[in-house]
Amino acid sequence: MTRKEFLQTIPIGAGIAFSLMCTGSCNQADRLATAANETTSLRTDSFINPSQEPVDFVIDLNTPTYQKLKTPGEYAFYKDVIIVFTDDEKYLAASKICSDEWIPRVIWDGKEFYCLAHGATFDRQGNGTTTKNNLGFRGLDIFNVSLDGNLLHVYS
């Protein structure tokens, strides 16, 4: 079946509905604006809320995976946690799961936490900021850290 034949099999009403849906929501800016105002619980139905899971682990900063955490401005991941060594040489740990749609895309942009999926931003305390948009209004889980030699303990 050719594309033209396939399109002819779609009922006219469905085609109009599809085209109306796409015209209003295919634009990235429109999608972000819609997501910013959405307050339904449907967005989290299929995801685990990261704040419900206890966090308690220790990483050795001498291991190849985490050696970069001795360099200011660098970050690394351990499961669903992002660990940051800030420019002022402090360790931070936060959920890498963005509270906007529970997508694990949070990174450190040098100043604050940033979600690659939606552009949500969060300060060092996990509060949503309006640097790029207001999609971080739910905040980000921040975890405790303690350093003992080269062992970094991250816990909730």
Side-chain angles (χ1 to χ4, degrees), residues 26-77:
C26 288
N27 181 322
Q28 176 72 359
D30 290 345
R31 191 180 75 73
L32 289 173
T34 301
N37 297 317
E38 185 178 338
T39 58
T40 67
S41 62
L42 296 176
R43 296 183 331 161
T44 59
D45 285 351
S46 60
F47 297 96
I48 296 170
N49 182 338
S51 63
Q52 295 174 352
E53 298 293 321
V55 169
D56 192 4
F57 61 87
V58 175
I59 59 170
D60 184 346
L61 298 176
N62 285 328
T63 60
T65 303
Y66 299 110
Q67 277 183 335
K68 67 182 178 177
L69 287 175
K70 293 180 177 183
T71 304
E74 290 292 330
Y75 64 91
F77 299 102

